[in-house]
Amino acid sequence: MPAAMTAIGVVVALTACAFVAFLAYAYPALWEPLVVAAGIATVLGMVTALIVSMCRR
């Protein structure tokens, strides 16, 4: 089961990256807001992963 969830997570992450890359290419004015959003999402993802790993102990 965890392997399936990991595979789904990888597919979702790659799809999101491809969509953001398309938006940055199609609308150059969105580059800075997309970078800020990606940074916030990265920090939230790391915090979530840390909390989940701490709860599993």
Side-chain angles (χ1 to χ4, degrees), residues 3-4 13 15 21 24-26 33 37 39 43 56:
T15 303
Y25 175 76
V43 170
R56 288 186 176 184

Side-chain angles (χ1 to χ4, degrees), residues 17-43:
C17 288
F19 182 66
V20 169
F22 164 74
L23 284 178
Y25 175 76
Y27 305 101
L30 290 178
W31 177 249
E32 188 174 348
L34 289 173
V35 169
V36 171
I40 292 170
T42 301
V43 170

